[in-house]
Amino acid sequence: MIIFALLIAALLSFFSYELISYYQRKTTIQATEFNLQLVSHIIEQDLLNLSALAMTSSTNSATNTLLTDYFGSPQAKARDALNVFNSMQEDFRVNRSNSYVRRLIVTDNKGKFLQVDNSVSTSVPLTIHNIGQITGLNNNEAVKEYDQVIKDPLSTSVGIPYILPVYGERAARIGTVYLLVNTSVITDKLKGYSLPEDSRLLLTLGDNHYQLIGDKVQDIGAPYEPIPYTDDEPVGPQTKLSTLRLEDGEQTIAVSYPVRSGVVLSQTLSGSQFAPKASIWIPIMLGVCFMVLVLSGIITIYLTRTISLPVEKLKKRIDKIAQGNFLLDRNIEWNSELGDVGRGINRLSQDITALMDSRLADEKQKQELEYRMLQNQINPHFLYNTLNSIKWMATIQNATGIAEMTTALSRLLRSIAKDNRRLLPLKDELKLLEDYFLIQKYRYGGTVSMEQTISDEELLSGLIPRFTLQPLVENAIFHGIEPKGRGDIMITVQKNGFADILVTIEDNGVGMQKEQIAKILDAREEGSTGLFENVGLRSVNERLHLAFGEPYGLSIESEPGQYTQMKILLPFLLKE
């Protein structure tokens, strides 16, 4: 009986151990599966956005139409290239995943190419001489869709190339679209990912295999061939279980979930993760020795309630997130490993919501930015009628100076009160400046003069923020020429580079020290005492940055006692 009892105890202990191991392995695999599924859905959305960005240049879009005309025309002009570039930039700007674009290149493989670069300062400029170093552009038949990680030959960064043909008329291939995506499109989503100590995160791109360590994507030296794992079944139909033997010779189980075609995210599970804890299975083993049938039923019910039902709730929650419902669900935050998964899902939902709100707020701020100007609160019609009466009285009395000043002031006030355009043509801005200067010329009795030099009349159609030039001329008069007693102002409009406008305002006044220039542009101003109280040089610089971006704005050069040059760099835009 003792021997029989020992045999029964050994058998029951063995089966109890196997039962606990099975459920722990199943729980670990399911938790890993849903973690990968959640992260993969987020990564997939960014990859879809980036693919859509490449497709806008490839086929069936306004950008593709412009590219077809530009590549197909032997007499293509710089204006055609600029139109294509502006269209590519607009596609890039509205794409929700544009922060992951390292560079976007389109070329006809015959010498014409355009590039939108997200990190210009860290890259060697792309030219006709080094474009051949870009892998995939030297082959007119190349088509690649996220199949490898490569080093960018023109910078120190690495990325994932996405190469498509550019289709022209009758679906003929007329060029190549090359999109290099930063590897952070994958690694950013894995920050905070709960990875056990003995596990690895693997990434498969086409036929290439990589290991994810922090924010780095490392190549796996020795190739491996996954063998199907049939001891357990995954919950989702897209999830695959396999056995891998990596370069260290260790055999491990891998849970894989496809992000999209050719892109698979995998996590390895070591055998130690499946071994049950002694504090759990020994008491159960002893209890099973006495109550085989009863405890078997209890264990089955317990595991059903603690694993199957929570997993089902997690699956439903993930489905809701995939449909765009990012509200928190506290019902999935249990005191268990699956509860940790639920808390992770809620944290990811909050992060996604915060990111979307942040992006919407930034766009709204840029679109709804209002100029900080104090407009006249006097009834406009009363003011215009009064000024008009003064003008005609001055004309009747042959006081032409008063009539001219009144007319100029009336036009200025009408523009301030009624013109709500954020950007206006440069020629309109110069007309407003002439009205302002006419008033100042009478004020200073002819001791100040202003001259304009326009290198190309076409530049006058370029857009500039309202009341950009007036504060600069006002500063030149009040702080440069007035202390000197007499002086001249020269305004020059010329083309700068490929598609920019450079407006220079120079005076021969008292000049400024470098410390004064830095204080004007960096420190917050106390306010102007001219036409607009809160519009000074720093405000002009800020409005230019907000309207056109960091490369554009105001710069100042000065030599004390000799001159001051204020230069405004603008993009040549014909419409907002």
Side-chain angles (χ1 to χ4, degrees), residues 146-356:
Y146 306 122
D147 63 347
Q148 61 179 328
V149 175
I150 65 170
K151 183 183 181 302
D152 185 3
L154 302 182
S155 69
T156 59
S157 62
V158 295
I160 306 172
Y162 186 84
I163 303 174
L164 291 177
V166 177
Y167 293 107
E169 297 180 356
R170 299 181 181 178
R173 179 165 184 162
I174 61 172
T176 303
V177 179
Y178 178 89
L179 174 65
L180 185 62
V181 181
N182 278 330
T183 55
S184 59
V185 71
I186 294 174
T187 57
D188 281 356
K189 313 305 182 301
L190 298 173
K191 292 179 180 178
Y193 185 90
S194 180
L195 186 66
E197 184 177 355
D198 297 329
S199 294
R200 297 186 186 184
L201 274 176
L202 305 177
L203 175 65
T204 301
L205 298 176
D207 298 327
N208 301 296
H209 305 288
Y210 304 90
Q211 182 174 350
L212 301 174
I213 302 177
D215 59 351
K216 296 181 179 180
V217 180
Q218 296 184 354
D219 189 18
I220 296 179
Y224 60 84
E225 187 67 26
I227 302 172
Y229 179 80
T230 57
D231 291 350
D232 292 283
E233 292 291 333
V235 175
Q238 294 182 310
T239 307
K240 293 184 179 179
L241 302 180
S242 58
T243 303
L244 303 180
R245 188 180 297 276
L246 301 177
E247 65 271 15
D248 55 4
E250 179 185 357
Q251 185 168 320
T252 180
I253 296 175
V255 182
S256 303
Y257 190 87
V259 178
R260 56 167 290 156
S261 178
V263 182
V264 179
L265 196 61
S266 305
Q267 178 180 333
T268 63
L269 303 174
S270 64
S272 61
Q273 294 176 253
F274 300 147
K277 299 179 181 179
S279 60
I280 297 177
W281 71 267
I282 289 180
I284 296 177
M285 177 195 69
L286 297 175
V288 168
C289 292
F290 298 96
M291 303 177 66
V292 178
L293 296 176
V294 175
L295 286 181
S296 297
I298 293 175
I299 291 174
T300 302
I301 296 173
Y302 171 77
L303 292 178
T304 300
R305 291 180 177 179
T306 57
I307 297 176
S308 299
L309 294 179
V311 166
E312 184 65 25
K313 290 183 179 180
L314 290 175
K315 182 177 181 299
K316 292 180 179 179
R317 178 62 189 143
I318 291 175
D319 290 339
K320 289 183 179 180
I321 291 177
Q323 296 170 4
N325 183 358
F326 300 112
L327 297 177
L328 293 181
D329 186 357
R330 300 296 183 185
N331 295 324
I332 61 174
E333 296 184 357
W334 309 285
N335 294 324
S336 63
E337 290 183 358
L338 292 176
D340 293 338
V341 175
R343 281 184 284 274
I345 292 174
N346 282 335
R347 283 196 298 272
L348 285 173
S349 298
Q350 287 180 307
D351 292 343
I352 294 172
T353 302
L355 179 61
M356 293 173 63

Side-chain angles (χ1 to χ4, degrees), residues 35 126 156 330 344 353 412 416 422 506 512:
N35 279 341
L126 183 67
T156 59
R330 300 296 183 185
T353 302
L412 274 175
I416 295 172
R422 190 172 68 96
E506 181 177 354
M512 289 186 287

Side-chain angles (χ1 to χ4, degrees), residues 110-145:
K110 297 177 182 178
K112 294 180 181 178
F113 66 88
L114 295 166
Q115 173 183 241
V116 176
D117 194 337
N118 211 12
S119 302
V120 177
S121 60
T122 62
S123 173
V124 175
L126 183 67
T127 66
I128 191 66
H129 303 293
N130 60 20
I131 191 172
Q133 300 177 22
I134 304 293
T135 305
L137 285 181
N138 51 8
N139 183 1
N140 196 38
E141 301 298 324
V143 176
K144 296 182 180 180
E145 297 187 5

